[in-house]
Amino acid sequence: MSDSRDYHAVINWISGPVLRATTRVPFHLNEAVKVGQLQLLGEVIRINGREAVIQVYEDTTGLRPGDPVTATGAPLSVKLGPGLLGNIYDGLLRPLTEQGRYVQPGIGQDTKSRKYAFSPSIKVGDLATRGTLFGSVHREDARIQRCMTPPNCDGRVISIRPAGEYSEDEILCVLECDDSENRELSMSHYWPVRQPRPVLQRRPIKGPLFTGQRIIDSIFPIGCGGRAAMPGGFGTGKTVLQETLAKWCDADVIIYVGCGERGNEMASVLHEFPSLEDPRTGRPLMERTVIIANTSNMPVAAREASIYTAVTVGEYFRDMGMRVALMADSTSRWAEALREISGRLGELPGEAGYPAYLSSRQADFYERAAHVHALSGAVGSLTIIGAVSPPSADFSEPVTTHTKRYVHCFWGLDAARAQARFYPAIHPLQSYSRDVEALVHFWSQHGYVNWMSQRQQFLALLEEQARLERMARIIGKDALPPRQQHVLLCADLINEAFLRQSAFSEVDRYCSAERQIAMMQMISRFIELSKNAIELNISVETISTLPVMRRLMRMGEEIGEDDLDRFDELRVDLDGVFSRLTHGSKQESASHEG
Ligand code: ADP
């Protein structure tokens, strides 16, 4: 910040985290500013002639009219570097402890002198275009990361440091640029949070973000680089599902943004996450995680920024060619932050008091999810999964309805299912996925060419079940004809044996693609065999009380990843049971006819 630009404005009005300042020089929209004697970090969010409206990311207690505001000349940016993995930050990437307290008071990021092992992958004389990978960083406690030229810089390498140990801010490479002075590059660089990082090309969704959760992967799958929302009232399992996905999905890096939930809830995440184990490596999950936390006691403006900060961090890892999954819990608290700031500015409120620009802000966030060809040529992806907590679990409220417009997968969590302790409480009739078509290939590569039609069959049965249950409430279940009772039996099996999956079960908390296929095919086989049996006048009651039914219902719990062969045994037994049943019935009807 140059001295000549000091005291560029003077505060004339303050309301909580927002203030107005009379400017002496032109300010830029979204420019970062320092406010008051304490140099609190703020951002220009509106300009009216000679007045700048500023939101402040720190506690404004003690600020008063007449206090100075200094422009920084740069948009609100965060520092992206190899130190990010394994740490907890606030909405502006200021480091926090596991208790959610600031590591250092005041502004500024953690520029501690920690050193990282760097090895160059470029030499003097090479051309480094935007996003070129010029070296890699090896951390013994985290995966290999790449050093990239920032997306807004290119030139010829005039110096590059040899392999060795360096801190994040040490200059490693110098570029001679045509149009400006030389650029000095370190392992880290700054990037404006509200500006999507450029890519070479957005690519269509190709494979899934595989989660190991049956109702997601097999029924409402999400593509790698896709976007999903999980709306649900209190206690419907949003947090557990987000954590389960973070733990089991096949992403290289997890960004978890906890947004303004009640302080104790966020504290439990902060406490729990660092103790989670990566099931694949047995090492701490934190080694490939970045947590961005904003409890409700942190400044509301930082909550508003946290979502963009998280996406920016996600894009940074994506640009190295990694698969990144971003979990945001909950986007409703973020929308409430927007509403609070807008209210303080006296803006005209829209639906439910939210500002009219709520929808476009949500679009800005979700549209940054992508499967891309990065500037470096690497292929990476950023998948966004946002939790929504609609008041009174009402999915017609504005945050949920706008979210629906921008996501491709909608996993509606249902209070009745959760009350019945049916988890994950994703309601099959209130959910959808638009990534299904793109993922047919994934399942056929696993030898499952019927996936699409069996998925549709399951959904059709579940839909019919809902209709028949309404009818059964009036006329009684026993009054339904056998074919309809059979539908209820099959739908029950789909729910209990396939969609239900406890996040806390040692055997069933993760379900591989092979196991999901085996289970789906088993249920399909049962549907076919039992349908034939019903046509031969075998009663639904006889079928529902067969001992093999219990084994089917419990196959998720009883057949683990290491005994997939036992599905073959179960299938042989199932075929045998039905063959005896229908054989007996055929003989009986033949003797009647005789
Ligand atoms: P929310 O974040 O929506 O308020 P939580 O994620 O805290 O809800 O879930 C509430 C409780 O429901 C959890 O403490 C847990 O006992 C149970 N639960 C939620 N999801 C699952 C799951 N997938 N498997 C087993 N139990 C679950």
Side-chain angles (χ1 to χ4, degrees):
M1 194 191 331
S2 72
D3 285 342
S4 60
R5 293 200 70 191
D6 269 359
Y7 300 98
H8 296 125
V10 175
I11 300 177
N12 63 38
W13 177 91
I14 308 171
S15 170
V18 286
L19 54 88
R20 296 175 200 271
T22 311
T23 59
R24 297 182 185 159
V25 292
F27 275 48
H28 302 287
L29 203 57
N30 294 342
E31 182 170 359
V33 293
K34 304 277 170 82
V35 179
Q37 308 299 345
L38 289 175
Q39 302 261 293
L40 306 176
L41 182 61
E43 182 187 7
V44 178
I45 53 172
R46 200 190 290 167
I47 299 169
N48 302 324
R50 292 209 38 221
E51 189 175 74
V53 180
I54 292 162
Q55 62 179 3
V56 183
Y57 295 112
E58 293 174 82
D59 187 3
T60 52
T61 313
L63 275 188
R64 50 185 187 187
D67 277 350
V69 175
T70 324
T72 65
L76 182 74
S77 305
V78 289
K79 189 167 90 174
L80 305 165
L84 287 171
L85 282 182
N87 286 315
I88 303 175
Y89 299 91
D90 83 343
L92 286 165
L93 236 44
R94 291 171 294 199
L96 300 176
T97 64
E98 270 173 42
Q99 287 74 38
R101 298 202 191 92
Y102 286 98
V103 171
Q104 304 154 315
I107 310 157
Q109 301 193 13
D110 182 14
T111 49
K112 279 179 294 185
S113 50
R114 177 166 176 182
K115 303 233 176 199
Y116 302 97
F118 166 78
S119 34
S121 54
I122 207 166
K123 54 186 192 317
V124 172
D126 285 351
L127 192 63
T129 51
R130 305 179 309 148
T132 298
L133 306 175
F134 66 85
S136 48
V137 171
H138 300 255
R139 270 176 63 174
E140 69 290 347
D141 61 347
R143 48 178 306 126
I144 297 174
Q145 295 177 58
R146 310 277 169 207
C147 302
M148 292 174 280
T149 54
N152 52 4
C153 144
D154 49 356
R156 198 161 291 281
V157 180
I158 51 175
S159 82
I160 175 90
R161 301 284 287 269
E165 299 266 321
Y166 302 95
S167 69
E168 257 192 25
D169 296 326
E170 269 178 84
I171 293 158
L172 299 174
C173 179
V174 180
L175 299 185
E176 184 183 45
C177 304
D178 289 343
D179 52 353
S180 61
E181 22 181 285
N182 291 349
R183 282 290 295 262
E184 296 174 330
L185 308 178
S186 65
M187 289 176 194
S188 58
H189 63 260
Y190 281 84
W191 188 258
V193 294
R194 299 191 195 274
Q195 192 178 323
R197 288 171 67 91
V199 295
L200 217 51
Q201 191 186 31
R202 279 174 90 107
R203 295 164 55 117
I205 299 266
K206 208 162 160 231
L209 180 81
F210 193 82
T211 66
Q213 310 305 305
R214 289 186 288 272
I215 189 159
I216 296 182
D217 300 327
S218 289
I219 309 292
F220 304 111
I222 176 163
C224 207
R227 23 187 142 138
M230 51 164 95
F234 175 71
T236 50
K238 294 182 295 299
T239 312
V240 172
L241 190 55
Q242 293 262 32
E243 272 182 30
T244 309
L245 297 183
K247 226 166 137 178
W248 292 104
C249 77
D250 58 354
D252 300 315
V253 169
I254 306 289
I255 317 284
Y256 186 94
V257 46
C259 209
E261 280 295 348
R262 290 162 298 283
N264 55 351
E265 206 161 292
M266 197 60 228
S268 80
V269 170
L270 293 186
H271 180 74
E272 238 167 81
F273 241 98
S275 61
L276 294 181
E277 198 178 83
D278 185 336
R280 288 190 190 83
T281 58
R283 297 184 58 90
L285 186 64
M286 273 306 282
E287 288 182 357
R288 55 184 182 94
T289 303
V290 179
I291 296 186
I292 293 175
N294 274 282
T295 54
S296 35
N297 56 349
M298 287 185 188
V300 67
R303 196 194 309 167
E304 191 273 329
S306 64
I307 287 271
Y308 301 101
T309 301
V311 175
T312 305
V313 173
E315 287 178 343
Y316 166 68
F317 288 110
R318 172 204 72 188
D319 289 350
M320 292 179 198
M322 294 192 193
R323 292 156 66 96
V324 183
L326 186 155
M327 326 276 170
D329 187 11
S330 123
T331 57
S332 298
R333 304 281 166 267
W334 165 74
E336 282 162 18
L338 273 188
R339 178 166 65 183
E340 180 173 339
I341 294 165
S342 159
R344 286 182 187 275
L345 290 172
E347 289 171 343
L348 205 60
E351 277 171 285
Y354 290 106
Y357 47 79
L358 168 70
S359 172
S360 67
R361 293 289 178 87
Q362 283 178 302
D364 291 346
F365 168 59
Y366 282 108
E367 276 164 14
R368 286 173 75 171
H371 176 220
V372 305
H373 230 128
L375 291 176
S376 64
V379 174
S381 65
L382 170 63
T383 309
I384 297 185
I385 301 172
V388 186
S389 3
S392 326
D394 169 15
F395 289 3
S396 63
E397 60 87 44
V399 182
T400 318
T401 46
H402 290 309
T403 301
K404 262 185 158 171
R405 294 169 54 191
Y406 305 116
V407 294
H408 292 163
C409 301
F410 189 82
W411 303 324
L413 298 175
D414 180 53
R417 286 195 161 222
Q419 264 160 17
R421 304 208 58 75
F422 187 108
Y423 292 111
I426 297 175
H427 197 296
L429 304 184
Q430 285 172 22
S431 306
Y432 58 78
S433 162
R434 293 198 207 121
D435 290 343
V436 171
E437 301 262 323
L439 302 177
V440 170
H441 183 62
F442 167 83
W443 290 103
S444 48
Q445 269 181 328
H446 279 77
Y448 194 19
V449 283
N450 291 341
W451 170 65
M452 184 79 135
S453 60
Q454 288 189 346
R455 171 188 179 273
Q456 273 159 354
Q457 180 192 31
F458 282 17
L459 283 174
L461 281 165
L462 292 166
E463 237 165 76
E464 205 175 342
Q465 175 197 35
R467 192 177 62 78
L468 293 175
E469 274 178 348
R470 277 197 300 274
M471 205 191 294
R473 271 198 290 276
I474 304 167
I475 60 169
K477 196 171 162 187
D478 294 338
L480 294 177
R483 203 204 68 79
Q484 295 186 337
Q485 288 188 26
H486 175 245
V487 168
L488 292 181
L489 179 69
C490 295
D492 214 30
L493 183 68
I494 295 168
N495 267 315
E496 289 298 326
F498 194 72
L499 303 187
R500 186 175 217 154
Q501 187 180 359
S502 169
F504 305 115
S505 154
E506 280 286 324
V507 179
D508 204 27
R509 57 195 177 177
Y510 175 81
C511 194
S512 63
E514 289 68 26
R515 202 156 74 95
Q516 298 196 24
I517 294 171
M519 291 174 76
M520 248 177 129
Q521 286 178 332
M522 191 71 67
I523 295 172
S524 243
R525 182 83 183 143
F526 170 83
I527 295 171
E528 188 190 323
L529 293 172
S530 55
K531 193 167 162 217
N532 291 342
I534 300 282
E535 277 163 15
L536 290 169
N537 285 333
I538 293 166
S539 75
V540 173
E541 202 193 338
T542 309
I543 299 173
S544 67
T545 50
L546 289 171
V548 77
M549 275 308 287
R550 202 195 144 274
R551 286 174 64 200
L552 284 177
M553 287 282 184
R554 294 196 45 81
M555 63 183 162
E557 284 293 339
E558 282 172 4
I559 307 183
E561 292 295 332
D562 299 332
D563 344 280
L564 296 186
D565 291 348
R566 286 182 52 208
F567 281 111
D568 294 334
E569 290 166 25
L570 181 57
R571 190 190 156 101
V572 171
D573 291 352
L574 184 69
D575 285 356
V577 167
F578 274 94
S579 136
R580 283 191 293 280
L581 201 64
T582 49
H583 190 63
S585 147
K586 275 181 196 154
Q587 274 185 344
E588 206 176 297
S589 59
S591 72
H592 278 304
E593 278 164 27

